[in-house]
Amino acid sequence: MAIKKVAVAMGGYSSEFEISLQSGTVVCASLNPEKYEAFPIHILKEGWFYVAPDGKRYPINKEDFSFNNGSETIVPDIVFNTIHGTPGEDGIMGAYWDLIELKQTSTGFYSAALSFNKRDCLSVLKNFGIKCANSYYVNQGTDIPVDAIIKTVGLPCFVKPSRAGSSFGVSKVHTLEELLPAMEKAYEQDSQIMIETALVGPEISVGLYPFKG
């Protein structure tokens, strides 16, 4: 069996890029070298690069996501997407990889874009009868109807960016005086924010174990 060339995409354009670099490094170290050859690919605002073991960076050819490793041109067989936040979790990279017909490990770009935007995702879920916390949406630069927000969601409430992860920009607000500072904090991450009723109850996490057939 030929060893597959896996481009491990990591980084991104959000506050989560450092966490993503750690995730990608773990994936590169964990892939079975007898089956896969891993190539760390940094997707950053300053550019896209393959990072060689000696730290040297080689630019990515965006026509087919290929790159030079110092001795030859590598065209990956598949992309392992470990980008946190935009443009990896929101479907942007997924749409690009679909366009150049390169296989990738993430969900389809539409599902990624929908689930990444909390506002849009809740709008869809509510139409299917799924119970969600009361929420109020505000765009940066518009008036802030404090009375209407509190009437809708009450206190305590959570203020969060609509398109961000890893709890960046998220605040729990207990008093009216805490609301505006919490919104400014959320705006540092996204121009769209949402305020939700704080639900009291146990938090449940679901563990998943990959099946190896």
Side-chain angles (χ1 to χ4, degrees):
M1 180 184 298
I3 293 178
K4 290 189 176 296
K5 296 178 175 62
V6 181
V8 182
M10 63 188 83
Y13 305 158
S14 73
S15 300
E16 303 176 77
F17 80 95
E18 291 186 353
I19 302 172
S20 174
L21 293 177
Q22 296 177 28
S23 298
T25 300
V26 170
V27 170
C28 288
S30 302
L31 289 175
N32 185 346
E34 295 182 0
K35 296 181 179 180
Y36 310 105
E37 185 175 6
F39 298 91
I41 308 297
H42 288 195
I43 306 296
L44 307 172
K45 288 183 178 180
E46 63 192 84
W48 300 3
F49 309 96
Y50 158 63
V51 181
D54 61 2
K56 188 173 181 179
R57 304 196 302 183
Y58 298 87
I60 300 297
N61 181 348
K62 295 181 181 179
E63 291 186 5
D64 59 3
F65 212 61
S66 64
F67 52 89
N68 191 283
N69 66 354
S71 59
E72 62 178 330
T73 297
I74 302 295
V75 180
D77 297 304
I78 192 169
V79 176
F80 194 118
N81 182 13
T82 66
I83 300 174
H84 296 210
T86 188
E89 280 188 89
D90 56 4
I92 293 177
M93 294 300 296
Y96 157 70
W97 288 320
D98 278 357
L99 186 64
I100 63 172
E101 298 183 337
L102 177 59
K103 295 179 180 179
Q104 54 110 7
T105 60
S106 296
T107 186
F109 66 88
Y110 174 75
S111 299
L114 178 62
S115 58
F116 187 74
N117 189 315
K118 300 178 182 69
R119 176 188 300 187
D120 293 350
C121 189
L122 287 176
S123 297
V124 172
L125 294 178
K126 289 177 180 178
N127 283 331
F128 282 95
I130 298 175
K131 295 182 178 180
C132 305
N134 294 332
S135 56
Y136 200 102
Y137 310 120
V138 185
N139 291 333
Q140 192 170 23
T142 61
D143 293 335
I144 302 175
V146 174
D147 292 340
I149 293 173
I150 298 303
K151 182 179 180 180
T152 301
V153 304
L155 291 171
C157 62
F158 281 99
V159 178
K160 61 184 72 174
S162 184
R163 299 166 297 185
S166 295
S167 297
F168 285 107
V170 177
S171 302
K172 187 174 184 179
V173 172
H174 298 86
T175 67
L176 190 61
E177 292 72 23
E178 295 174 342
L179 180 61
L180 293 182
M183 294 176 69
E184 290 301 321
K185 179 180 177 181
Y187 280 138
E188 293 175 2
Q189 303 296 326
D190 190 14
S191 61
Q192 297 179 10
I193 66 172
M194 61 186 298
I195 302 100
E196 283 188 314
T197 300
L199 301 180
V200 179
E203 295 187 13
I204 300 174
S205 296
V206 179
L208 300 177
Y209 188 83
F211 173 75
K212 296 182 180 180

